[in-house]
Amino acid sequence: MLKTGASYQETAEQFRLNNPSLIQRWVKTFRQGIQGLNSKPKGRPSMSKK
């Protein structure tokens, strides 16, 4: 994709993926480098009792 200049849609079709935005997310994570590999917290924080 980066070498050929193919779009996200064309790349998704080539690899039989139904979501071109998934490839866009992968490229963004790849460009972040090592920080892109860190897991991010998911969901809401737990409620603390006061």
Side-chain angles (χ1 to χ4, degrees):
M1 182 178 120
L2 299 175
K3 291 182 182 181
T4 63
S7 68
Y8 295 126
Q9 181 66 40
E10 293 168 341
T11 305
E13 289 172 2
Q14 182 177 358
F15 291 101
R16 299 180 187 191
L17 299 172
N18 60 356
N19 192 357
S21 63
L22 178 64
I23 296 174
Q24 184 178 10
R25 201 173 334 138
W26 288 345
V27 170
K28 180 180 175 185
T29 302
F30 176 76
R31 288 183 178 160
Q32 287 177 348
I34 208 75
Q35 284 81 21
L37 298 175
N38 294 336
S39 61
K40 295 169 183 62
K42 295 183 179 180
R44 300 173 94 186
S46 61
M47 296 188 60
S48 61
K49 294 182 179 182
K50 291 186 177 183

